[in-house]
Amino acid sequence: SVLTQPPSVSGAPGQRVTISCTGSSSNIGAGYDVHWYQQLPGAAPKLLIYGNINRPSGVPDRFSGSKSGTSASLAITGLQAEDEADYYCQSYDSSQTGSYVFGTGTKVIVL
Amino acid sequence: QVQLVESGGGVVQPGRSLRLSCATSGFSFSTHAMHWVRQAPGKGLEWVAIISYDGGNEFYADSLKGRFTISRDNSKNTLHLQMDSLRPEDTAVYFCARSWEPVVVPVFDYWGQGTLVTVSS
């Protein structure tokens, strides 16, 4: 994948964790929006953040997104046991025709 | 409510073909572009293809061009993925996802539960 995420991050309940999504000048750095998805074990992905910073209705405000330069980040505050899941960023890459790209994925572990 | 239900997965030998379907309900299918996304066992998400709301435009991941064909039947609210010349590395859960465009880069706002395709002799 052209978007790189850390394989895992961990935190105790109540703590704050952040997940980075590092791209390049042909995707995030080109100004393309970044979206974030949560995938619980055995389930389909679920939209968490769209357009870098926006939360769909129903997503708790514990989840927030940001973007700067060639990177984006997802922050989870007040970590809860139910947040243990895989998280993926997604954007568009102009170096390939019609190519929507996902990050490598990050496993959030609640200690 | 919005529902997407994939079907057609199974075990297939290398070199053979398979056609996946995604039956949708709860929204105006003919006004949304649609995607296929796949996930190999224990791996991350990989975008496969997109088709425009009217079927007039299709785009594919570069690695799949020529082997996979996305199509849709707006009269039946159904999306399809024809997969030819299958390879073991095509083994994955295949998800259909609705495209939503609140910003420039489309968002996958609703997903099906996925259907497993296993390519093995």
Side-chain angles (χ1 to χ4, degrees):
Chain A
S1 176
V2 298
L3 302 180
T4 302
Q5 300 178 231
S8 66
V9 298
S10 62
Q15 286 190 330
R16 179 179 188 269
V17 297
T18 61
I19 301 169
S20 60
C21 174
T22 303
S24 67
S25 59
S26 63
N27 42 70
I28 299 175
Y32 293 113
D33 305 298
V34 178
H35 317 308
W36 290 90
Y37 302 86
Q38 176 193 61
Q39 187 176 31
L40 296 171
K46 169 193 168 185
L47 178 62
L48 207 58
I49 297 287
Y50 69 93
N52 308 313
I53 61 172
N54 303 291
R55 281 186 310 276
S57 64
V59 173
D61 60 7
R62 303 186 293 104
F63 296 91
S64 62
S66 63
K67 176 188 161 187
S68 178
T70 57
S71 295
S73 292
L74 174 72
I76 310 174
T77 57
L79 195 63
Q80 298 181 5
E82 67 211 50
D83 298 331
E84 187 157 295
D86 293 321
Y87 293 80
Y88 295 90
C89 58
Q90 178 244 319
S91 186
Y92 179 85
D93 190 279
S94 60
S95 67
Q96 302 169 65
T97 303
S99 189
Y100 300 94
V101 291
F102 286 95
T104 50
T106 298
K107 172 75 173 180
V108 168
I109 300 167
V110 181
L111 301 172
Chain B
Q1 71 280 24
V2 174
Q3 286 193 315
L4 298 88
V5 180
E6 301 91 340
S7 61
V11 180
V12 61
Q13 293 178 329
R16 302 296 291 268
S17 299
L18 205 60
R19 189 190 195 212
L20 306 183
S21 297
C22 170
T24 73
S25 61
F27 68 100
S28 179
F29 179 72
S30 62
T31 63
H32 285 266
M34 296 292 296
H35 299 264
W36 285 100
V37 176
R38 70 182 183 179
Q39 185 170 37
K43 303 297 184 182
L45 301 170
E46 179 187 16
W47 175 77
V48 171
I50 180 176
I51 187 167
S52 61
Y53 70 98
D54 60 356
N57 289 289
E58 309 158 26
F59 294 99
Y60 300 87
D62 281 350
S63 61
L64 299 172
K65 277 181 184 172
R67 296 195 299 122
F68 287 17
T69 304
I70 189 172
S71 63
R72 64 190 297 156
D73 184 341
N74 283 351
S75 68
K76 296 182 178 179
N77 297 332
T78 302
L79 176 73
H80 299 288
L81 184 68
Q82 177 67 37
M83 304 185 295
D84 299 323
S85 302
L86 282 162
R87 304 167 181 170
E89 55 264 35
D90 295 319
T91 294
V93 174
Y94 286 73
F95 298 98
C96 61
R98 191 180 81 165
S99 193
W100 176 45
E101 288 92 32
V103 292
V104 173
V105 176
V107 183
F108 308 102
D109 66 339
Y110 285 94
W111 298 64
Q113 85 289 349
T115 187
L116 176 62
V117 173
T118 302
V119 184
S120 173
S121 54

